[in-house]
Amino acid sequence: MNSGLMYSVSSPSSASTSTATAALTHRNSRFPMLLPRPISSSLRLQCCSAFHVDASLNSYPSKTHAVSKCSLRLSGEQYLCSQQQHDKCAWPLRALVTSTAQDIPITSLIANEKVGVLLLNLGGPETLDDVQPFLFNLFADPDIIRLPRSFRFLQKPLAQFISVVRAPKSKEGYASIGGGSPLRQITDAQAEALKKSLWEKNVPAKVYVGMRYWHPFTEEAIEQIKRDGITKLVVLPLYPQFSISTSGSSLRLLESIFREDEYLVNMQHTVIPSWYQREGYITAMANLIEKEVLKFENPDKVVIFFSAHGVPIAYVEEAGDPYKAEMEECVDLIMDELEKRQITSPYTLAYQSRVGPVEWLKPYTDETIIDLGRKGVKSLLAVPISFVSEHIETLEEIDVEYKELALESGIEKWGRVPALGCEPTFISDLADAVIESLPYVGAMAVSNLEARQSLVPLGSVEELLAAYDSKRRELPPPVTVWEWGWTKSAETWNGRAAMLAVLVLLVLEVTTGQGFLHQWGILPLVR
């Protein structure tokens, strides 16, 4: 069931050093907190022993923390450099992945086969009555709320408590966008558009939608896949960047489903775990941003504000989640493409949607908006970078809450780039990604265990999770010594203390059968 995926890697072209330096000075002299535009140069870099790749190297060594993938071609097999090998290079790699779908003899690959594509997404409540059970499903996921092993039995009671407490406010948000999330309708439309694109490219595949936390659940999609007799399956999470809490969670669910079903065990499949580097995706994002930037009276003075969904910082710093590094690389690639189009606006990246008392990825979106206002920014274009569909976090959090905050902070002109949805370039590129993966569905790559050592390799569900888990580090104590004041240490300890207090209350509730959770009807009364 091992598989691989072959990509060709090309260096994104850039302006000359002098031109880029001038643009850098012009764009960022007034905004020192904004990310500088990296000056790129094309190098032939030796990587992974005797294999070569053309890559664009970021000239700023301060970003050596980035986790990058070095995609190589040799005799039809793909090899990915290990993180350790990248560290030896001392420079982060940035490479734009271009489509090779036109080079693949498709007819011979799918003859007598039934091809399926499973799109994975978060899901969302379709009515206000769905909000609380949706939240329960979300917080009952151990990849969302990570409890110590000895407290895992409290996962569902804790999820029930949080979902009941948060439901009223969440219902207000969904009511403001029409009474429910449009995510299912949009994802269904994307599935239909992808199917049409695949058929136009001579791949008669069926496309299925599996949601993690609401209908149609992943389990429902799998049952339909079995009824249709699919023999080759490509699993495609609709998250451009990989994270423990998104693609990782969906893949863990798939692993548990596959393990228990003989039909699925024997069905050939492969997974495309992340695709933020694909040329079609980058082009589609740049197209949408360019269109919105040019609507402003002075496009050069518009700050392009990338807002991504946040994750707890412990996922990245302590558990090895590649999400932050992939997000930063994705933004760099988009800005490289915009620079080719003579769009030299300053930009920044921040993270939204944090919940709970623990520290999340920074900078936070709301704090960054306030800071931009203080610095005199008057025109802001919000770009929802980690979302390919409109939902509560774009329609309510960005369009309502953050817009209001921006105007209150002194920003006078606000714009927002729409989510990709069914944008033709984006959909066509997803179809190409599926086609490029077909030769490797169920195939064993040469020297697979030794060659594919990246944090998020391409391959089967079981392979991906095994490779990721082998790289994960045990969560260490947050600090080696106590630190006082409002520090990262204090924030971490405060969050864990609050979680411990909640767990103690839940233990008392469960063991005694009495307490406010029982009185409120959250837990059943013991008679």
Side-chain angles (χ1 to χ4, degrees), residues 206-233:
K206 291 189 175 182
V207 182
Y208 305 86
V209 172
M211 300 293 192
R212 183 65 180 87
Y213 305 115
W214 203 245
H215 301 284
F217 289 113
T218 303
E219 295 89 338
E220 298 174 52
I222 290 295
E223 287 302 314
Q224 187 60 51
I225 287 169
K226 290 167 60 179
R227 286 193 293 269
D228 291 343
I230 297 299
T231 57
K232 284 183 177 289
L233 181 67

Side-chain angles (χ1 to χ4, degrees), residues 352 382 384 393-394 396-403 414 416:
Q352 65 180 82
E393 288 165 340
T394 60
E396 200 275 334
E397 192 170 1
I398 294 179
D399 287 353
V400 178
E401 295 179 23
Y402 292 146
K403 179 180 179 180
W414 167 276
R416 204 264 283 180

Side-chain angles (χ1 to χ4, degrees), residues 357-429:
V358 299
E359 184 179 16
W360 284 54
L361 284 181
K362 291 182 177 179
Y364 298 142
T365 292
D366 51 356
E367 293 179 358
T368 304
I369 289 174
I370 294 172
D371 192 48
L372 288 173
R374 289 173 181 161
K375 293 181 183 298
V377 171
K378 298 301 180 183
S379 299
L380 193 68
L381 177 62
V383 182
I385 185 61
S386 56
F387 313 104
V388 299
S389 305
E390 302 289 357
H391 61 303
I392 187 73
E393 288 165 340
T394 60
L395 299 174
E396 200 275 334
E397 192 170 1
I398 294 179
D399 287 353
V400 178
E401 295 179 23
Y402 292 146
K403 179 180 179 180
E404 182 178 321
L405 178 62
L407 297 177
E408 291 174 352
S409 301
I411 294 170
E412 299 173 355
K413 297 180 181 178
W414 167 276
R416 204 264 283 180
V417 173
L420 284 165
C422 294
E423 200 275 342
T425 302
F426 166 58
I427 295 296
S428 179
D429 191 60

Side-chain angles (χ1 to χ4, degrees), residues 345-362:
S345 303
Y347 75 102
T348 191
L349 168 65
Y351 298 90
Q352 65 180 82
S353 309
R354 69 186 187 276
V355 294
V358 299
E359 184 179 16
W360 284 54
L361 284 181
K362 291 182 177 179

Side-chain angles (χ1 to χ4, degrees), residues 21 29 45 66 113 140 261 271 309 350 359 364 366 398 426 465 523 526:
T21 304
S29 59
L45 183 81
E113 299 281 2
D261 193 296
V271 181
H309 194 290
E359 184 179 16
Y364 298 142
D366 51 356
I398 294 179
F426 166 58
L465 293 177
L523 294 177
V526 177

